[in-house]
Amino acid sequence: MNESHASHAARAPDGDAAVIEKSWHEPEVFAEIFHRYFDEIHRYVARRLGTDAADDIAAETFLAAFRRRDRFDPAKGAVRPWLYGIATNLVSVHRRSERRFFRALARTPAEHVAPGHEERVAAQVSAGEVGKELAGALARLPAGDRDVLLLVALADLSYDEVAQALDLKNGTVASRLNRARRKLREALGGVNPTLTTEESPA
């Protein structure tokens, strides 16, 4: 488990599910889930669609979660991947906007890119000079492959969590991720910007 996963595990107590269950009878309690996770869901959406869309879609994510809270089953997984699944489904409604966003980044001269912009495209990218190529490659990925890749690279979800978020089998998650990474490697001349430290070859 890397540092990020460890911090999530420490920060996301078993109490998340208990909060959801309590909110079935005391709706106001759901505000705890909102306060715990709104900022990171907002960042995830902003990295995919830009900050202008993030406010509305992040808010829609929690509204949808609140409305569906009686259908959340703790036996099927944790609250955090469930929220990312809802957010990703909402992003899917804006597929054209997402492709336009990445294509616009690909056309943006490097000197005009706001500080940290490449990091908002993919958290694992550290070399700013691959930002434009990466954005173009992301725009060309099939939607399902892009969802899996960005849940791993931006949200730092495990394979199991991505499977829960998108209601996929683990094998499907692995095959989509491998395909997406292969296409990015080809687009970036053999560089894979989405490997986590623990996955990087020695």
Side-chain angles (χ1 to χ4, degrees):
M1 179 179 287
N2 59 30
E3 273 185 28
S4 183
H5 276 127
S7 65
H8 284 313
R11 192 190 65 203
D14 295 336
D16 278 356
V19 170
I20 295 285
E21 292 183 42
K22 187 175 181 181
S23 75
W24 296 345
H25 307 291
E26 301 176 43
E28 66 278 5
V29 172
F30 189 83
E32 291 184 35
I33 298 297
F34 177 89
H35 291 304
R36 285 177 192 174
Y37 295 108
F38 181 84
D39 286 347
E40 75 172 270
I41 294 294
H42 186 279
R43 282 193 299 272
Y44 167 71
V45 177
R47 289 163 174 167
R48 296 196 61 169
L49 294 175
T51 53
D52 289 345
D55 291 345
D56 289 341
I57 293 178
E60 286 179 37
T61 296
F62 286 89
L63 179 59
F66 177 77
R67 289 173 173 167
R68 302 174 196 170
R69 69 192 189 283
D70 59 336
R71 286 179 270 167
F72 173 75
D73 182 359
K76 292 184 177 179
V79 170
R80 183 170 172 264
W82 177 62
L83 292 172
Y84 273 105
I86 294 171
T88 300
N89 286 337
L90 289 171
V91 167
S92 72
V93 177
H94 300 266
R95 291 294 187 201
R96 290 183 181 178
S97 296
E98 183 179 39
R99 286 194 297 270
R100 283 197 299 269
F101 175 63
F102 285 128
R103 285 170 181 161
L105 288 182
R107 293 191 301 268
T108 302
E111 63 270 20
H112 294 152
V113 176
H117 212 104
E118 288 83 1
E119 293 177 11
R120 297 208 304 270
V121 177
Q124 302 302 326
V125 176
S126 57
E129 64 269 18
V130 303
K132 290 169 63 176
E133 291 80 2
L134 174 61
L138 287 170
R140 292 189 295 272
L141 286 177
D145 293 0
R146 188 165 59 241
D147 284 342
V148 169
L149 177 78
L150 294 181
L151 281 169
V152 171
L154 299 180
D156 197 25
L157 295 190
S158 68
Y159 287 24
D160 287 344
E161 289 172 327
V162 173
Q164 179 196 341
L166 301 181
D167 195 21
L168 298 173
K169 295 180 179 178
N170 282 34
T172 303
V173 170
S175 64
R176 288 186 181 183
L177 185 61
N178 287 337
R179 185 166 57 236
R181 284 174 167 169
R182 184 179 68 249
K183 290 180 179 179
L184 289 192
R185 276 197 302 270
E186 293 168 356
L188 300 176
V191 176
N192 186 346
T194 63
L195 286 178
T196 61
T197 301
E198 63 182 17
E199 294 173 314
S200 299

